[in-house]
Structures are given as C-alpha cells and as structure tokens.
Amino acid sequence: AVGLTGRGRRSATVAGDPFSSVALTWSSGSPALSVRVRSLDGVWRPWQALGHLHDGPTAGTEEWLAARRTSATGLTWVGDADAVEVAADGPVADLRVEMFDADREELPSPGVGARSAPQSKIYNRATWGADERLRSGDPRYLTGFQQVHVHHTAGANGYAVADVPRILRGMLAYHTQTLGWSDLGYNLLVDKFGRAFEGRAGGPTRLVRGAHTLGFNHNSCGIALIGNYDTAQPPGAAIQQLEALAAWKFDMYGQKAMRKLKAASEGSDKYPKGSVAYLWAMDSHRDTNDTACPGRYLHAAMNDIRARTQARIDFY
C-alpha cells in the first residue's frame, strides 16, 4: 500500500522490479489520481492521469460475487520502467500500486485494416500468450444479443507492435489477479495498427458474456480499442477494424447497428437495476455508465462509425 493520507494533493514513490503496466486500487474515497514512471535509463517521464474503472461483472452474477470489492483504475501501459510516483488529490484509503510485466512475444506485423472481408482475422488467446491458469470457471454464454459497446483501454498510445501481447497479458493478470474477475473483461480488442484480438475466452464466434459494461453485459459484446482516445484521435486502421468486427457480429445474429432499442439494465451507476435505457445498438461505454470511456474523440466519431458499420452489413 502507498501511505497517502490527508485531503490535499500528496505523492509517494514506489520502486521495484522492472514493469511495463501500472494500475491503482483503493478501498474508499474518490480521488483524482495520476502517475509518472522512471524509465530504465533513470529518466522520469511526464505525469499522466488515471481514470477510475467502470467496467465489471454484472451485480448478482457468480463472477460478481467472486470479484474483489475494490475501487480501481484501468491498467495503463507505461513502457519499461523501474519506479512509479503516485499523486492523489482527494481523500483515499488503502491506495495500492499494481505493477505488471510480461515477457516479450512477437506477433506478425500488422497489415491493412480489414475493409471487405465479412470476418477479420482475430488473433486468438494462444497467439498473444494468455496464461489460461489465471482464468477461473468456464465461460458463460448469452441467451440473446442486442448491442456492441465500444470502449478504449485508456492506456498510453505510444506502444509498439511488439508491445501488444505484453499489454494483453498484463490486462489479463490485472483483471483476474487484482480485481478478481474470472477472465479479461473485454470480448474483443483492437490495437492502433488495426489488428483484432480475442479477449475473454469462450470463442469469438460465440456470445460470450464479458465484464466490460456494468449492467449491460447480459445482451452485448464489448470491443475495446487499445489506447487513450480522450487525448488523441483513434487511428484509421483501428476504426476500420472496429467497424468490421461490429458488422460481422451484428450480421451473424441478424441485427443492425443503425437502430435504437430499449435495453434493460441489470444495475449500473447510470441506470438502476430494472430500469430501461433507450440506446443505440452500437454505443459508447459512456452511454451506459458514468465514465469518459471510450474517450471524447472516439465518442464523437460514433455516428459515422455506426453508419459505416451498417453500410458493411447492408453490403453483405
């Protein structure tokens, strides 16, 4: 734990073995949190804010009962580092720094983002080196499908091609070992180079229940773009892949992206359990939860993304 007490802005430094991803957890309070890390050559990098995590299993499910009741940030890729300084502004209790690393593992170089194929190439969990021992229980499947919820992981944007497997393995460890979820929360992930990855286990062609959109996991697929699109425009290759994946998933189950629907909430911080939300079939995470996800730039592009996704569905 980091010993930050009081109410004003405070900071503390934690050093350890080399790491590449950072997250923060705490038991109570709603602080503004930021970190900066020291690279392996001894240079401190700029401060970056960490947003509070609003993903998670739906209340009342077995996964929710098993999850740890803790507040947390998303996992942020910081590159190779050996120390982190944490700053908190606002009351916080039991603040902990979670540092993760994974061995490098090469994937094929990215090609052109999918534009016309009904199903894009999706790198499976074995390809990015998922440690299946970290999962608990068997995958659960949906009985119906209505929506695609679009997310960003809110980490750094400066990652390289070879970093992506490490980012995914760190995310798997954080979601399961720190937060106590049964598996990585997102169903599918897309890197800035336009490559698609299987997230939660159970088969990308099946309706696997994820832990990506609190209150709305029971009828949806969660697709996350790896990066922070509150600070930068999402790359064209990533957007093309997002549209291709969403069109493929909607069309597989006879659904449309350009429509609004009534979705029952199983309990989120924006829609109480039992309430009904009127939402786009393909929406932003912020439409269902009190969060900035998927970032202002990606959210602002959603009307165009929906239209192009629907155009792909109509073409086929």
Side-chain angles (χ1 to χ4, degrees), residues 168-187:
L168 295 173
R169 293 198 295 275
M171 195 177 300
L172 172 61
Y174 179 52
H175 286 185
T176 58
Q177 304 307 293
T178 300
L179 302 180
W181 302 354
S182 67
D183 197 354
L184 197 157
Y186 307 113
N187 297 109

Side-chain angles (χ1 to χ4, degrees), residues 229 233 284 286 294-305:
Y229 299 113
Q233 292 283 354
S284 294
R286 65 173 62 185
R296 58 187 175 127
Y297 292 109
L298 183 51
H299 179 70
M302 283 302 299
N303 284 337
D304 290 338
I305 290 171

Side-chain angles (χ1 to χ4, degrees), residues 52-58 74-75 145 147-157 159 168 171 175 181 184-192 195 197 199-200 208-235 238-239 241-243 245-246 268-269 279-302 305-306:
H52 294 192
L53 185 68
H54 294 271
D55 306 332
T58 298
L75 186 67
F145 171 71
Q147 291 186 279
V148 168
H149 301 297
V150 177
H151 302 256
H152 71 168
T153 62
N157 298 318
Y159 57 86
L168 295 173
M171 195 177 300
H175 286 185
W181 302 354
L184 197 157
Y186 307 113
N187 297 109
L188 298 166
L189 297 103
V190 178
D191 68 15
K192 67 179 183 179
R195 297 178 300 178
F197 300 87
R200 177 158 290 213
V208 180
R209 182 177 185 133
H212 48 83
T213 307
L214 182 66
F216 295 87
N217 294 313
H218 59 289
N219 60 4
S220 65
C221 171
I223 304 177
L225 271 60
I226 300 173
N228 188 337
Y229 299 113
D230 202 44
T231 61
Q233 292 283 354
I239 293 296
Q241 183 65 268
L242 168 63
E243 293 164 358
L245 290 171
S268 80
D269 50 9
L279 302 167
W280 285 105
M282 186 178 185
D283 68 359
S284 294
H285 185 194
R286 65 173 62 185
D287 295 328
T288 57
N289 295 95
D290 186 15
T291 175
C293 182
R296 58 187 175 127
Y297 292 109
L298 183 51
H299 179 70
M302 283 302 299
I305 290 171
R306 272 190 292 269

Side-chain angles (χ1 to χ4, degrees), residues 11 13 55 65 81 117 134 141 145 181 199 267 269 273 284:
S11 66
T13 301
D55 306 332
L65 292 171
L134 300 182
Y141 296 95
F145 171 71
W181 302 354
D269 50 9
K273 183 176 181 179
S284 294

Side-chain angles (χ1 to χ4, degrees), residues 78-96:
V78 293
D80 293 313
D82 62 6
V84 57
E85 185 175 4
V86 181
D89 192 351
V92 62
D94 302 319
L95 183 65
R96 300 186 66 87

